[in-house]
Amino acid sequence: MKKRFPVLSLVVLTMIVVLCLSFGPVMTKDPLFMDLAHCNEAPGKEFLFGTDSMGRDIFSMIWYGGRISLTIGFLATLLSVALAVLVGSISGCAPARADGVLMRLTDLILSVPGLLLTVFLQAVFGRASVYSLSVVIGLTGWMAMAKVVRTEVMQLKNADYVLAARCLGGGFFHVLFRHLAPNFFPSLLFMAVMNVRNAIVAESTLSFLGLGLPVEAVSWGSMLSLSENALLSRAWWMLLIPGAFLSGTLLCLTNLGNYMRGSTNKRHSNLGSRK
C-alpha cells in the first residue's frame, strides 16, 4: 500500500517555521522584557498566551524561542551531516584495515549514551549558547548517518562511472560530491530530517535539566524549564503552550521523516528487483 504524503504535517511545519522567522520583527512586545507587574498572568486580550513567572509575554517568546530552537536544530544537523558524509565516505573508500578502525571508533562513540556525551562536551565548552549547543549536539549525532553513508559508498565505489572518474584524474572530493553524494543523498535525507527533530529534543532536554540555555535566554526548551514554577503556581499556560508548539513541530518532523524513509526503502526495493 502506497504511503500518502503528509501534506498537513508539511503545511503546519512550514507555518511554524515561517512565523518564527517573520514574526520577530513585527512583535509588539519584547520577549525579553520582564514586566514584574504582570507575572503569571493568564491568557487574555493584552497577553494572548499569558505571561511567565518573570512577566515576559509568552506569545512573543513562542516565536522568538522557536527561532532559537529551530536554529539549533538545523545548525546541529548541518554539522552532523557534514561529519557523517566525511567519515562514512572515507571509511567506505579506505582499505579494510582503515575502514575497520574508523567503524570501531564510530561504534565506540555510538555506545556512549547520547545525553551523557552531550553533557560532557557542553561542560568542556563551558557556558551554553546557541552556537555551542549546536556544535555539541552536532558532534553527538553523526554516527548512525556515517554508517549509512559508508554502506552506500561501498555499493557505489566500484560502479563504472565512479571508476571512470578516478581514471580521468578525479580526486576524492570531486568523486564524492559529483558522483557518490547524489546517489546516497536520498538515503541520508530522512535521517537528516529526524536529526533535526533529535537536536531540538536534545536542546529542550538540556534546558529542562538546567544544563542548556540560561533561563534569561528564550527557547522552547528554556520555557519548559520553568514548568516546576508553573505547576506550583497553577499557571498551566506556561507549560501547555510551549509544550504544544514543541510537540507539534516534533510530530510534523517525525511524519515527514517516516514518509521519506518509506520512499527510500521503496527505491532500494525497486533497484533490487531490477537486478
Side-chain angles (χ1 to χ4, degrees):
M1 182 178 177
K2 187 177 180 181
K3 198 168 185 179
R4 297 180 62 182
F5 183 79
V7 178
L8 181 60
S9 295
L10 180 61
V11 171
V12 172
L13 182 62
T14 302
M15 288 178 60
I16 291 175
V17 173
V18 170
L19 288 172
C20 287
L21 294 178
S22 62
F23 226 125
V26 299
M27 284 187 300
T28 58
K29 298 184 184 295
D30 183 357
L32 303 178
F33 176 68
M34 299 181 186
D35 188 357
L36 300 181
H38 296 91
C39 295
N40 296 331
E41 189 161 316
K45 292 183 179 180
E46 184 177 359
F47 302 99
L48 294 178
F49 289 168
T51 62
D52 66 358
S53 57
M54 292 180 279
R56 297 177 297 183
D57 178 44
I58 293 180
F59 181 80
S60 300
M61 293 173 68
I62 284 292
W63 308 118
Y64 184 85
R67 183 164 45 185
I68 299 299
S69 294
L70 291 170
T71 297
I72 292 175
F74 283 111
L75 288 180
T77 298
L78 284 176
L79 179 58
S80 294
V81 169
L83 288 173
V85 170
L86 184 62
V87 175
S89 300
I90 293 175
S91 182
C93 295
R97 182 170 295 182
D99 175 35
V101 171
L102 280 173
M103 284 298 100
R104 297 298 77 74
L105 179 61
T106 302
D107 290 335
L108 178 63
I109 301 173
L110 197 57
S111 66
V112 180
L115 182 59
L116 179 62
L117 185 59
T118 304
V119 170
F120 171 75
L121 289 176
Q122 186 55 58
V124 172
F125 275 80
R127 182 178 173 83
S129 67
V130 172
Y131 297 108
S132 69
L133 277 178
S134 300
V135 171
V136 165
I137 296 172
L139 289 175
T140 59
W142 58 271
M143 292 78 71
M145 288 189 289
K147 286 180 168 290
V148 172
V149 172
R150 171 185 173 270
T151 302
E152 294 285 342
V153 168
M154 292 187 72
Q155 293 176 353
L156 296 168
K157 67 179 182 180
N158 293 322
D160 292 340
Y161 59 90
V162 175
L163 296 176
R166 288 178 175 173
C167 291
L168 292 173
F172 172 76
F173 287 103
H174 171 79
V175 174
L176 172 61
F177 293 112
R178 194 69 179 268
H179 302 287
L180 295 177
N183 288 282
F184 65 66
F185 181 75
S187 301
L188 194 63
L189 185 59
F190 86 89
M191 297 193 73
V193 172
M194 301 301 279
N195 198 271
V196 174
R197 183 202 67 173
N198 294 338
I200 294 174
V201 170
E203 182 274 324
S204 301
T205 302
L206 289 175
S207 296
F208 182 78
L209 295 174
L211 301 172
L213 294 173
V215 176
E216 61 270 15
V218 178
S219 71
W220 287 341
S222 65
M223 292 174 71
L224 289 174
S225 68
L226 300 174
S227 58
E228 182 179 354
N229 294 333
L231 293 174
L232 291 176
S233 61
R234 297 184 179 180
W236 53 266
W237 55 91
M238 289 172 53
L239 180 61
L240 180 62
I241 294 175
F245 275 87
L246 177 61
S247 300
T249 301
L250 298 180
L251 180 61
C252 292
L253 288 170
T254 301
N255 289 338
L256 289 171
N258 287 335
Y259 174 81
M260 291 176 183
R261 178 171 57 185
S263 300
T264 301
N265 292 339
K266 182 179 178 181
R267 169 177 167 269
H268 281 285
S269 177
N270 291 338
L271 289 174
S273 63
R274 292 177 184 174
K275 292 182 180 180

